């Protein structure tokens, strides 16, 4: 069964292999915050991607509080901040979502297992201001099966978002 996207369009900067894969792994698993500058530069060099996010509200995929404490940062938020700076205009980052369920890592799961693992994992942040007329863009590091982004998109759709896209650094 394929992905039934709850978002409108998706855009990614690079294929998740080689040097791009090494950057993501360094950022996520080795405290490599220093690679965000390189990743942002790659995003900056994608005019289509920048046009897609300019003047939008960028919504990073949230980490569970436990994972955030362990890692010390949310890699999706760091990428969203870099992307907002690169896009310019009125582009801004807002933490509209929370991760309520502390799910296990998805790396070894197939599409159906990922979907089941993420069931009810995300929710709208308390008091999150959502404007149906606003363009929202979910931001994550990697699009694999789309389950994570789709779970987040469903929450934003239920909250009234009408114009919703996704952007990732890598795809694969």
């Amino acid at each position: 069964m394929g992905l039934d996207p709850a978002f409108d369009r998706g855009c990614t900067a690079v294929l998740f292999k080689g040097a791009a894969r090494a950057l993501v792994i360094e950022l996520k698993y080795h405290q490599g915050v220093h690679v965000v500058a390189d990743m942002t530069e790659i995003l900056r060099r994608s005019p289509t991607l920048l046009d897609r996010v300019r003047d939008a509200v960028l919504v990073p995929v949230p980490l569970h509080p436990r994972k955030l404490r362990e890692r010390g940062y949310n890699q999706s938020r760091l990428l969203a901040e870099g992307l907002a700076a690169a896009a310019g205009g009125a582009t801004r980052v807002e933490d509209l979502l929370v991760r309520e369920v502390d799910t296990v890592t998805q790396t070894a799961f197939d599409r159906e297992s990922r979907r089941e693992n993420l069931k009810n994992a995300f929710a709208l942040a308390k008091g999150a201001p959502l404007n149906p007329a606003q363009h929202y863009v979910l931001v994550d590091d990697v699009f694999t099966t789309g389950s994570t982004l789709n779970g987040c998109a469903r929450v934003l759709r239920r909250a009234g978002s009408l114009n919703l896209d996704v952007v990732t650094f890598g795809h694969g």
Side-chain angles (χ1 to χ4, degrees):
M1 181 191 304
L3 182 71
D4 180 20
F7 51 88
D8 298 319
R9 296 172 297 181
C11 191
T12 192
V14 296
L15 289 175
F16 185 60
K17 62 183 186 178
R21 185 176 188 279
L23 287 170
V24 172
I25 289 170
E26 181 67 19
L27 178 60
K28 283 177 83 163
Y29 303 112
H30 301 293
Q31 297 292 307
V33 177
H34 62 279
V35 303
V36 172
D38 293 328
M39 295 169 83
T40 298
E41 184 58 31
I42 291 167
L43 292 167
R44 182 186 314 279
R45 292 174 186 227
S46 176
T48 302
L49 193 143
L50 293 179
D51 288 345
R52 180 107 3 121
V53 303
R54 191 165 290 113
D55 298 327
V57 171
L58 306 185
V59 182
V61 169
L63 290 178
H64 187 271
R66 178 196 59 80
K67 179 64 97 177
L68 185 57
R69 276 191 308 275
E70 283 177 7
R71 190 172 289 160
Y73 55 89
N74 177 345
Q75 74 280 358
S76 296
R77 187 167 215 309
L78 294 178
L79 288 171
E81 289 168 351
L83 186 54
T91 312
R92 65 188 188 279
V93 179
E94 291 185 14
D95 295 308
L96 299 178
L97 298 171
V98 294
R99 191 172 199 135
E100 294 187 321
V101 178
D102 191 4
T103 57
V104 297
T105 184
Q106 304 253 96
T107 52
F109 289 172
D110 63 16
R111 181 185 305 275
E112 189 54 40
S113 299
R114 285 174 184 244
R115 188 179 3 243
E116 194 58 36
N117 187 44
L118 290 170
K119 200 174 223 172
N120 302 316
F122 303 104
L124 199 63
K126 209 175 211 85
L130 210 71
N131 174 354
Q134 177 66 53
H135 179 206
Y136 294 97
V137 179
L138 284 161
V139 178
D140 205 4
D141 51 1
V142 179
F143 187 108
T144 307
T145 65
S147 297
T148 299
L149 287 159
N150 218 32
C152 291
R154 281 193 184 99
V155 172
L156 292 174
R157 287 285 196 213
R158 282 193 302 265
S161 175
L162 300 176
N163 187 0
L164 178 61
D165 294 328
V166 301
V167 165
T168 61
F169 174 74
H171 183 280

